[in-house]
Amino acid sequence: MDRIRTLGRTGIGMIESLGASSMLLWNSLMWGGPGSAGFGDLVKQLFSVGVRSLSIITVAGFFVGMVLGLQGYTILVDFGSEAALGTLVSLTLLRELGPVVTALLFAGRAGSALTAEIGLMKATEQLSAMEMMGVDPLKRVITPRLWAGMISMPILALIFSTVGIWGGAFVAVDMLGIDDGAYWGNMQASVTFYNDVVKGIIKSLAFGWVVTWIAVYQGYASMPTSEGIGKATTQTVVIASLAVLGLDFVLTAVMFGGV
Amino acid sequence: MAAEQAYVSIRDLTFSRGERLIYDGLSVDFPKGKITAIMGPSGTGKTTLLRLIGGQLLPDSGSIVVAGQEVPKLKRQQLFELRKQKMGMLFQTGALFTDLNVFDNVAFPLRTHTDLPESMIRDLVLMKLEAVGLRGARDLNPAELSGGMARRVALARSIAMDPELIMYDEPFTGLDPISMGMIVKLIRCLNKALGLTSLLVSHDVEESCSIADYLCLVSGGKVIGFGTPNELMHDGNDEVRQFLRGEPDGPVPFHYPADDYRNDILAGGEG
Amino acid sequence: MQKRSLEFTVGIFMVMGIVALVLMAFRVSGLSVSDAGDTYTVKAHFENLGGLNDRAKVSMAGVTIGRVTNIYLDKDWYSAVVEMEINKDVDNLSIDTSAAILTAGLLGEKYIGLTVGAETDFLKDGDWIEDTQSAIVLEELIGRFLFNKAEEG
Ligand SMILES: Nc1ncnc2c1ncn2[C@@H]1O[C@H](COP(=O)(O)OP(=O)(O)OP(=O)(O)O)[C@@H](O)[C@H]1O
Ligand SMILES: [Mg+2]
């Protein structure tokens, strides 16, 4: 009986936060585009959300590309089709690993920082102070962060895939001795701009939106204590990662799979 | 008092935090153009009252009228408009924006709400900072300020837009006697010169009595005394006397509501 | 000064994004600016496509010279029709060019291989390739092999 009650309460709580976070999203985005809170604010957030994630994305992308090159080679060489390595590396990165791994790293790096920052602003009453000055913190604090996340994520994912493909080329061509022309030629023959590149960008846009939304909501709704902020930060990473993986399945099914 | 016009008028206010009833049918008028000090034991809900007036909390029932507008009934947009034009608030913790330096903190409301040229904003900001004696600290970050300095910067910020109603939540705590004297003078000046209505939460009986036109004593969710400092000092009411003289024993409880101390201790031993 | 450098860094970030997109477009997906428009379309009937896909490549002597753009069933003949676009600069395919569906490697993807004939007239936009050879379907091949074996035995 108690367990059922707990389950019910958890369910109601989840629906409540879904409603509250939807209202947050609505109120922050309804009233204006990326520059509505002042262009300076957006640039500042692009810096802390996007540029600050650049190093981890680049390094991770390079390693993931190299690993794909090595693993792909050992599999393909058994079929005598190691010339298809470029295709394998690029398609894997563009369709899946680029958007997904970038989103997971983004949730850990930028998402948790967003939550902690907003949670701290709440705990130190900065958001209240803003409200009392007649400035809506949703527009002033949340909106530029949401936009910065949505703009940064596709850029980061593209950079991740690019670096990864060149990392794969480094392993394939320079280390394993696959013909340069075969690597790039096969890739160009099978990768299509709309089907692979654009669909990957659509994925990363969706991920950027979800991760940032979860991050700002967790910060905005956090308990204004150090423990509450810590918990909210963890929640951001957990929920955002799961949301990314779940959404990835749906998007893959809709865009690539014949489900 | 009846002759004076009320700027903030509260009727039958009820408000609770979870199970705990904080205000139970509170009614009070804060007169226009005067300084009213709100006093009461810690945890009675003085900060809560200021937040209710500012529309950050919604009452369970009752009405709160500020400048003729019923605050709990306002739409989001109207509420922000009212705050922007009429209200200023100094938070107990200062609540400076940590990503902006002192100058930008004070300039924030001006830059957001006005189209003034940067040179004029500079003049205004320096004026406000001069008033709190921190013109020299304009390039510091909030993290580099002492508690008292942060409070003074926050004060400068809350008066930046020249509001009609300003609410100070404990402006004196953590200030040295000199800054305290300065702030007292500043609050009084602002009040006299601009005809501001000021609400001031403070525990400092002496300072409050010297600065305030009226005292409002709150305890147990109700107003237990309202009047000029002189009237209250000579009021026969026990509660009021106890609070103003700082006597430990009397009708106002020092303790947060709890079980009997003896029982509590014994219960621990048994368990 | 500090503000300027912040904006500069963000600008660089945006430029990096654009560069990555351009690399993706031209280096990785082999999109070429002259791709659109500069092609002409020819069609061919096949008995069996055996898994040929849209956007499969069309090659001649191992060089990709075009792509499959459309595949549908001819209801009168119950055979497959493949439309392919050929790069404009390959304008000298004789009208008796033959088309075959081939496989890259043993299990690789299907593509169309063209072989020129001897005629002096060239294929134009909308022409049909008459001489076609369907995909070799592995199952059929194995089936025939077993059948032959059985007859022998
Ligand atoms: N966010 C909250 N959630 C639940 N209860 C709260 C919350 N904030 C305050 N309270 C409760 O409301 C009561 C009034 O708090 P408030 O901050 O208004 O007191 P105060 O009169 O300003 O005290 P002090 O003089 O110490 O600042 C306290 O008893 C506190 O326990
Ligand atoms: Mg308080």
Side-chain angles (χ1 to χ4, degrees):
Chain A
M1 191 62 213
D2 250 13
R3 209 166 291 162
I4 294 174
R5 198 172 296 153
T6 317
L7 202 68
R9 206 172 298 136
T10 317
I12 290 171
M14 274 163 68
I15 291 173
E16 263 174 13
S17 17
L18 189 65
S21 55
S22 304
M23 272 172 66
L24 174 94
L25 193 68
W26 174 262
N27 281 327
S28 331
L29 295 187
M30 233 0 248
W31 314 114
S36 61
F39 201 68
D41 273 7
L42 181 68
V43 171
K44 215 162 146 186
Q45 291 311 317
L46 277 172
F47 182 81
S48 65
V49 168
V51 176
R52 290 232 169 101
S53 311
L54 199 55
S55 51
I56 184 176
I57 293 294
T58 320
V59 174
F62 195 67
F63 279 117
V64 168
M66 290 201 300
V67 169
L68 278 177
L70 276 176
Q71 288 282 18
Y73 179 80
T74 55
I75 295 169
L76 290 175
V77 79
D78 287 345
F79 300 97
S81 36
E82 63 271 21
L85 193 56
T87 309
L88 181 111
V89 170
S90 57
L91 286 185
T92 317
L93 279 170
L94 284 171
R95 292 182 175 184
E96 279 303 323
L97 290 188
V100 172
V101 176
T102 307
L104 295 180
L105 292 174
F106 187 73
R109 168 65 190 76
S112 57
L114 277 177
T115 305
E117 189 192 9
I118 294 173
L120 205 65
M121 289 179 88
K122 184 179 178 179
T124 53
E125 296 189 304
Q126 293 180 46
L127 297 184
S128 291
M130 213 176 259
E131 275 185 12
M132 285 308 298
M133 281 179 223
V135 180
D136 189 344
L138 288 185
K139 268 155 241 170
R140 188 63 193 234
V141 176
I142 305 292
T143 309
R145 282 168 175 76
L146 273 172
W147 279 110
M150 286 189 276
I151 295 172
S152 301
M153 179 60 205
I155 296 180
L156 290 170
L158 270 174
I159 292 173
F160 184 96
S161 299
T162 311
V163 172
I165 289 171
W166 262 264
F170 170 69
V171 168
V173 178
D174 298 335
M175 289 168 62
L176 300 170
I178 291 178
D179 179 50
D180 186 44
Y183 185 86
W184 293 104
N186 275 314
M187 183 188 304
Q188 287 171 5
S190 42
V191 175
T192 60
F193 187 70
Y194 171 71
N195 244 320
D196 303 309
V197 180
V198 173
K199 283 183 179 174
I201 293 176
I202 292 174
K203 268 192 179 179
S204 57
L205 268 172
F207 295 162
W209 170 69
V210 165
V211 170
T212 325
W213 180 26
I214 291 173
V216 295
Y217 174 72
Q218 286 292 337
Y220 196 73
S222 64
M223 292 277 289
T225 58
S226 43
E227 194 202 353
I229 295 171
K231 211 172 127 195
T233 312
T234 316
Q235 288 267 45
T236 294
V237 178
V238 173
I239 300 178
S241 303
L242 291 179
V244 163
L245 295 173
L247 190 64
D248 182 46
F249 174 73
V250 175
L251 287 177
T252 306
V254 169
M255 293 196 300
F256 297 105
V259 180
Chain B
M1 137 111 213
E4 273 166 328
Q5 208 186 340
Y7 192 82
V8 179
S9 168
I10 299 176
R11 288 285 164 274
D12 302 321
L13 172 73
T14 310
F15 180 78
S16 47
R17 287 269 197 197
E19 302 283 286
R20 198 166 124 75
L21 197 59
I22 292 183
Y23 286 112
D24 185 12
L26 177 99
S27 296
V28 64
D29 286 327
F30 296 112
K32 190 178 166 89
K34 301 286 179 200
I35 303 176
T36 308
I38 302 170
M39 309 183 73
S42 181
T44 23
K46 303 179 296 293
T47 302
T48 308
L49 184 63
L50 296 190
R51 283 180 184 276
L52 282 161
I53 294 172
Q56 292 198 309
L57 295 172
L58 278 184
D60 299 340
S61 67
S63 87
I64 301 169
V65 176
V66 176
Q69 299 191 60
E70 175 81 46
V71 175
K73 297 227 169 76
L74 290 181
K75 296 218 176 62
R76 198 179 162 80
Q77 218 58 37
Q78 296 170 311
L79 183 61
F80 277 109
E81 208 47 40
L82 175 71
R83 287 170 178 163
K84 170 174 136 189
Q85 288 167 357
K86 311 250 160 98
M87 291 186 190
M89 177 149 166
L90 173 68
F91 280 80
Q92 205 165 348
T93 53
L96 294 178
F97 302 133
T98 39
D99 56 337
L100 301 178
N101 67 17
V102 166
F103 184 95
D104 291 333
N105 257 287
V106 180
F108 181 89
L110 295 167
R111 286 192 179 134
T112 310
H113 290 315
T114 68
D115 293 326
L116 295 176
E118 198 54 31
S119 63
M120 199 180 273
I121 288 187
R122 194 183 122 89
D123 292 348
L124 282 170
V125 170
L126 292 186
M127 225 167 78
K128 307 287 176 189
L129 281 176
E130 176 69 22
V132 295
L134 288 175
R135 195 162 44 85
R138 75 186 95 156
D139 292 326
L140 296 182
N141 281 320
E144 297 166 319
L145 300 176
S146 75
M149 285 161 86
R151 190 72 52 81
R152 280 147 70 193
V153 174
L155 180 61
R157 187 181 64 178
S158 55
I159 58 175
M161 289 287 289
D162 295 327
E164 291 178 8
L165 167 70
I166 181 156
M167 298 181 269
Y168 307 95
D169 198 352
E170 309 199 5
F172 304 133
T173 35
L175 294 185
D176 63 274
I178 301 173
S179 338
M180 172 124 85
M182 286 285 303
I183 300 292
V184 168
K185 223 172 82 194
L186 181 68
I187 292 178
R188 203 183 286 137
C189 273
L190 282 170
N191 200 69
K192 293 279 170 310
L194 303 169
L196 291 186
T197 307
S198 311
L199 302 184
L200 179 138
V201 170
S202 174
H203 291 301
D204 197 313
V205 177
E206 209 176 306
E207 288 304 329
S208 305
C209 289
S210 77
I211 190 179
D213 298 307
Y214 296 101
L215 295 186
C216 170
L217 293 191
V218 186
S219 178
K222 289 213 161 51
V223 175
I224 54 167
F226 191 105
T228 62
N230 227 342
E231 280 167 22
L232 287 190
M233 277 298 192
H234 301 103
D235 194 339
N237 192 328
D238 283 348
E239 283 178 292
V240 174
R241 250 208 331 264
Q242 184 211 344
F243 191 82
L244 291 184
R245 303 211 175 129
E247 291 158 0
D249 264 326
V252 179
F254 163 66
H255 293 288
Y256 192 90
D259 281 344
D260 186 64
Y261 186 44
R262 235 175 89 87
N263 290 347
D264 227 2
I265 297 270
L266 291 177
E270 282 156 20
Chain C
M1 189 55 222
Q2 206 195 343
K3 190 137 194 199
R4 178 62 37 79
S5 79
L6 182 97
E7 278 155 10
F8 184 72
T9 331
V10 171
I12 297 265
F13 177 61
M14 294 306 212
V15 169
M16 283 173 75
I18 293 168
V19 168
L21 186 67
V22 169
L23 281 175
M24 284 301 165
F26 298 117
R27 188 71 213 260
V28 175
S29 56
L31 205 69
S32 82
V33 195
S34 56
D35 223 19
D38 282 20
T39 56
Y40 62 100
T41 304
V42 296
K43 303 183 215 172
H45 275 287
F46 286 97
E47 289 298 321
N48 193 331
L49 295 181
L52 184 80
N53 285 321
D54 252 13
R55 301 205 55 88
K57 50 183 178 170
V58 177
S59 76
M60 171 166 273
V63 180
T64 304
I65 58 167
R67 279 183 186 284
V68 172
T69 51
N70 194 13
I71 293 174
Y72 58 89
L73 185 72
D74 183 334
K75 284 205 246 170
D76 299 331
W77 290 88
Y78 301 104
S79 67
V81 176
V82 173
E83 288 182 8
M84 55 200 113
E85 53 185 24
I86 310 287
N87 293 347
K88 254 284 162 44
D89 50 336
V90 188
D91 54 1
N92 55 346
L93 298 176
S94 60
I95 54 171
D96 60 345
T97 295
S98 68
I101 296 179
L102 305 172
T103 310
L106 187 57
L107 299 168
E109 58 181 318
K110 298 275 192 286
Y111 67 98
I112 293 184
L114 299 182
T115 318
V116 280
E119 294 280 344
T120 48
D121 286 341
F122 300 134
L123 286 171
K124 296 184 300 299
D125 191 50
D127 281 354
W128 289 84
I129 294 178
E130 305 293 346
D131 182 8
T132 63
Q133 184 192 332
S134 287
I136 296 169
V137 181
L138 209 56
E139 293 94 313
E140 275 179 21
L141 215 61
I142 293 168
R144 210 177 310 153
F145 173 74
L146 291 177
F147 186 71
N148 288 347
K149 274 276 179 225
E151 272 196 338
E152 277 171 28

